[in-house]
Amino acid sequence: MASTMLDLHAMKTWRHAIHQHPELGFEEQRTSALVAQCLTDWGYDVHTGLADTGVVGTLVIGNGRGPRLGLRAEMDALPIHEATGLPWQSTINGKMHACGHDGHTAIMLGAAQALAKINAAGTELGNGTLHIIFQPAEEVGGGGGAQRMIEDGLFKQFPCDAIFALHNLPGTPVGQCFFRPGAFMCSSDKVTIKFHGKSGHGAMPDLALDPTVPMAATLLGLQSIVGRNLSPFDSGVISVGRVTAGTSYNIIPNEAEIELSVRALHPETRETLCSRISELAKHQAQAYGCTATLDYVFGYPVLVNDDAQSRLVEQAARETFGADNVNAEALPLANSEDFAYMLQEVPGCYLIIGNGDNGHAEGQRLGPCSVHNPHYDFNDECLPYGGAFWLNLTRMFFTQPPATRG
């Protein structure tokens, strides 16, 4: 089943239209309406309203007596002002598709259209039920779209035996993909630490309790946690994203505050980081006569790919990309993804496809730039690879007995 089954012109048109009208998490009214209308036109049973703007399209494959497959794409944009200068640049100031969700949605729409045509023509796809899930608010963080859809009854209304998703990555060549079984992406937590002291005149520090001193000590100490409290074979990241204290050079502040991004590849490591960060901050505060309070917000969990479903992905990827372009034992990523919530409920696999050399400024290529960058644009050359992958994976899922996969 090749990319020739896909309407690449339509996929590109959808992608550019979605890109020009970006919508933030839980605001994807225009995008979800486009998705719902397309799925309805192609004969899917369409359900809207999960997590406000989520859409699920269901298609009975063959006689329907078989396994249930879930495929997921995300629809939301980011609060970034686009600087590419491309003809299809965002028309909304301060909002852009800087992570490629426009491309993921277009890929899924192209695959959905092709699968409906193949199924209607009686071409052998096997038997079962296909649920195509268009998710809002992947970028929101804790309490994002995947978690909300699950809470709204996603897998109770649309039970799945396996579920899959993909994401693009700039810098990796178009036509290549990678993933791994087991832990593949880190958890992501946000930690705010406040140090409480006693304000005073900068000339009389002995009459104050300076909260910036334990804050500074904590900033240095945090970087020892990964190196000295974790095994060399465990992965963890502690990054300081914000430091705030005071209002004037000659006033010792009453409070000082730091904000952290904390990531871990295993739940046990996540617990260790939480414990050590809390102990370090409180003890440093105590050592300097201050106190510390922590707001520890647990975000996305560790994303764990199922072994059996990873083998199926490897089969489909080899057929789509070619064996030499598939890395099925890739190193884990420190990034986080709320698809992890879905994988906690249903076995499945998440894979990365290359987005190539994609940086733009005023129509000129800059070379690869990261997602979440104002010069980023999804590479349309990825569309046939992503669409063909979903076609191959769907056919294999419904035609192969589970015991023979991989």
Side-chain angles (χ1 to χ4, degrees):
M1 192 177 296
S3 59
T4 54
M5 306 294 297
L6 302 165
D7 186 342
L8 296 179
H9 175 74
M11 292 170 73
K12 189 173 181 178
T13 300
W14 294 322
R15 210 278 289 181
H16 291 183
I18 295 169
H19 190 94
Q20 287 182 305
H21 300 91
E23 298 169 298
L24 301 182
F26 300 120
E27 299 175 3
E28 306 93 333
Q29 298 291 343
R30 182 188 181 105
T31 306
S32 62
L34 168 65
V35 166
Q37 187 60 60
C38 286
L39 294 175
T40 300
D41 292 345
W42 301 330
Y44 284 79
D45 181 15
V46 177
H47 183 100
T48 61
L50 282 175
D52 297 337
T53 51
V55 181
V56 180
T58 299
L59 185 68
V60 175
I61 303 297
N63 61 25
R65 295 192 292 272
R68 302 158 299 184
L69 171 63
L71 304 179
R72 172 272 209 175
E74 66 281 64
M75 302 182 292
D76 57 322
L78 283 158
I80 296 175
H81 187 76
E82 184 163 354
T84 64
L86 292 167
W88 51 87
Q89 177 168 306
S90 170
T91 60
I92 303 175
N93 290 335
K95 298 179 183 180
M96 73 170 288
H97 273 286
C99 204
H101 297 179
D102 53 335
H104 304 164
T105 297
I107 284 172
M108 192 66 79
L109 284 174
Q113 181 186 40
L115 288 167
K117 290 180 178 178
I118 295 166
N119 194 49
T123 305
E124 183 57 41
L125 275 178
N127 301 297
T129 303
L130 172 64
H131 299 302
I132 299 187
I133 301 162
F134 291 88
Q135 178 204 309
E138 190 279 326
E139 301 285 2
V140 167
Q147 190 175 29
R148 281 277 305 278
M149 290 189 86
I150 292 168
E151 291 171 353
D152 284 356
L154 174 64
F155 294 123
K156 292 180 180 179
Q157 298 181 58
F158 310 98
C160 298
D161 297 303
I163 190 164
F164 302 89
L166 60 76
H167 204 290
N168 77 95
L169 183 67
T172 297
V174 173
Q176 294 185 10
C177 75
F178 65 89
F179 56 94
R180 68 177 289 114
F184 184 39
M185 300 181 80
C186 287
S187 59
S188 177
D189 302 325
K190 175 183 176 182
V191 187
T192 303
I193 307 175
K194 289 186 178 181
F195 296 90
H196 309 277
K198 180 181 177 182
S199 183
H201 196 291
M204 296 178 283
D206 55 311
L207 300 180
L209 293 173
D210 189 346
T212 68
V213 179
M215 177 182 71
T218 300
L219 287 173
L220 292 175
L222 285 171
Q223 301 311 319
S224 72
I225 292 176
V226 172
R228 288 295 173 263
N229 298 131
L230 298 184
S231 163
F233 305 103
D234 288 340
S235 295
V237 179
I238 301 174
S239 295
V240 179
R242 184 174 65 84
V243 179
T244 306
T247 58
S248 178
Y249 79 99
N250 62 348
I251 300 174
I252 294 173
N254 197 55
E255 290 186 345
E257 185 172 297
I258 59 178
E259 202 166 71
L260 313 177
S261 170
V262 181
R263 297 170 186 268
L265 193 60
H266 300 288
E268 299 81 5
T269 304
R270 191 183 199 185
E271 293 175 6
T272 298
L273 292 176
C274 175
S275 174
R276 288 298 298 126
I277 290 170
S278 300
E279 291 170 355
L280 176 69
K282 291 177 180 179
H283 289 159
Q284 290 287 7
Q286 185 180 16
Y288 293 98
C290 300
T291 60
T293 56
L294 287 86
D295 181 18
Y296 212 106
V297 180
F298 291 95
Y300 296 164
V302 178
L303 185 146
V304 182
N305 285 334
D306 177 77
D307 289 353
Q309 305 308 330
S310 296
R311 291 194 295 271
L312 178 64
V313 164
E314 183 176 1
Q315 281 188 283
R318 285 174 174 268
E319 184 165 326
T320 305
F321 299 92
D324 293 341
N325 293 315
V326 177
N327 183 355
E329 294 291 342
L331 292 174
L333 298 173
N335 307 65
S336 303
E337 236 288 350
D338 77 340
F339 187 63
Y341 289 115
M342 294 190 180
L343 290 177
Q344 287 183 329
E345 302 291 325
V346 177
C349 184
Y350 185 87
L351 74 152
I352 303 295
I353 65 172
N355 198 56
D357 180 358
N358 68 309
H360 297 270
E362 298 181 356
Q364 302 299 314
R365 285 196 176 276
L366 299 175
C369 67
S370 170
V371 294
H372 295 214
N373 182 298
H375 298 288
Y376 166 88
D377 184 53
F378 181 86
N379 194 331
D380 288 332
E381 294 178 8
C382 298
L383 294 172
Y385 288 100
F389 172 77
W390 287 136
L391 298 184
N392 289 328
L393 179 77
T394 300
R395 173 175 52 81
M396 291 177 179
F397 182 85
F398 287 123
T399 57
Q400 294 183 13
T404 66
R405 295 173 187 163

